[in-house]
Amino acid sequence: MQHIFYSSDDACMIQKFKKYSTTNRLVLLGIILGVLFGIFLPHLALKQQVIGQIFISFLKMIVVPLVFSSIYVSIVGLGNLQSLKEIGLKTVFLYILTTALAVLAAIAAMNMVPIGEVVSAEGLEYAKASEVAPFSFSGMILSFIPANIFNALANGSMMQIILFSALFGVASLHLKQERQLLMLEFFSAVTNAMLTMAEWVIKLTPIGVFSLISYVIAEQGVEIILGLWKYVLMVIAVLVFHAIVTLPAVLAFFGRINPYRYLIDIREALIMAFSTASSTATLPVSMRVVEEVGGVDEKNASFVLPLGATVSMDGTAAYLTVAVLYISHLAGVDLTLSEQLVLGLTVVALSVGVAALPSASLVMMVVILNQLGLAVEYIAVIIAVDRILDMARTSINVTSDLVVVKIIDQLQKIKKSNV
């Protein structure tokens, strides 16, 4: 008779898989019930919005100290600037690569199935577009730099927080060894405490998801979605293709692992991203899940994921590409292939550049439409389904983050094994 022995680590991992599997089932049940509740009892669904808002607030409450401490710990933990340079360049390259592939998928899809019939812009109005300040390169660069770090922390300005914590970590590498260790221990404790709090909040996920989904369905109405079904279907088709084909291919090529097994293991973070429509709010869950069941080292997760939650915008870039090409069809303007490729380059550049600006997606949309000479009023046609599509594209943004962090983790492990 063959006996199989499990180590304490194996038993702990099995227990974690069981825990997240149970939560996933409850979350999926929450989504289904939320959809039904929003359709059949919309008045009640609108009134209970506060439950979902409380859930989001709990998640966002953790984010700022978690990002600050985790970025600091990851940089100081690397021990030297050379290691930081290597992992930083690899991370940025992979984020740009996945975003570019998402844009190319969107361009290809819109050329194969060119949806959108000509509609006059007369009578259309989208007042919010006029609130967007004129875009400038200098303004974008300045938005990265915190004039007052305490103000940035209070406002949750993620790019500014990341920049300051990174510089703070690099400066700490110049301290005496004993002081480095003292600060490293302190911020490591802060990170672990925040992740423990995140685990508490995760237990509320099924209730929070039920509330958020039911409110969105009740507010948007199924009729609006049906009215723009071709556009909605195109955006979702591109996002799904990127999620189940492009990103797994990138993970398999660079990470040398079974991508689908990994994505199934960390699916709770993806469900959370879809429900909350916020990469930032999902960050504590992503970090906890990717470390506990994704097998990613804490140092790598601490550096890659906070950066990704801010600058990685695969889903947003794909959505914007489809949206702009759809609007061009509504306006009766046929963009040449070269113009579409320029559009793609613009989207990729802006997806990283405007991350620190308020209403980044809207800023990108207005900038691109102005660049192409298309009326921004056409945004009014598609804005009705933006909330639903925001949930989908946020889920893809987070999927990209989790793919990149796994690749970085695999590359770092391969490097260590070869030393």
Side-chain angles (χ1 to χ4, degrees), residues 59-259:
L59 286 169
K60 289 186 174 181
M61 174 184 73
I62 305 167
V63 169
V64 169
L66 177 61
V67 168
F68 189 95
S69 60
S70 62
I71 288 285
Y72 179 88
V73 168
S74 65
I75 289 175
V76 177
L78 289 172
N80 58 74
L81 295 178
Q82 182 60 33
S83 297
L84 174 61
K85 181 181 177 181
E86 288 180 5
I87 190 173
L89 289 175
K90 289 175 184 175
T91 300
V92 172
F93 165 75
L94 287 168
Y95 278 141
I96 292 175
L97 173 65
T98 57
T99 302
L101 291 173
V103 169
L104 286 175
I107 291 174
M110 284 296 288
N111 278 275
M112 287 188 289
V113 187
I115 60 170
E117 298 176 357
V118 178
V119 174
S120 173
E122 188 176 345
L124 296 176
E125 184 181 1
Y126 187 60
K128 194 172 181 181
S130 62
E131 299 172 10
V132 175
F135 177 78
S136 68
F137 182 76
S138 59
M140 182 186 75
I141 296 299
L142 288 172
S143 71
F144 295 170
I145 305 169
N148 184 330
I149 185 56
F150 296 103
N151 187 52
L153 291 168
N155 293 330
S157 303
M158 297 309 301
M159 183 62 81
Q160 296 182 2
I161 294 169
I162 289 171
L163 178 62
F164 180 84
S165 57
L167 292 174
F168 189 43
V170 171
S172 296
L173 291 174
H174 293 81
L175 298 175
K176 292 182 179 179
Q177 189 68 26
E178 59 270 20
R179 291 185 177 178
Q180 275 189 44
L181 291 174
L182 181 65
M183 294 186 69
L184 183 59
E185 287 182 7
F186 171 75
F187 283 107
S188 295
V190 172
T191 302
N192 291 331
M194 291 301 105
L195 289 174
T196 299
M197 290 177 69
E199 194 166 352
W200 297 345
V201 178
I202 287 173
K203 294 178 181 178
L204 302 174
T205 302
I207 298 172
V209 166
F210 169 82
S211 174
L212 293 168
I213 294 292
S214 61
Y215 176 79
V216 170
I217 295 296
E219 182 190 40
Q220 296 290 306
V222 179
E223 300 80 10
I224 294 176
I225 300 172
L226 295 176
L228 288 167
W229 70 271
K230 287 184 180 179
Y231 169 69
V232 171
L233 193 61
M234 175 60 75
V235 173
I236 292 177
V238 170
L239 295 178
V240 169
F241 177 84
H242 189 62
I244 67 174
V245 177
T246 311
L247 288 176
V250 172
L251 179 53
F253 180 79
F254 289 102
R256 306 296 182 188
I257 64 167
N258 183 332

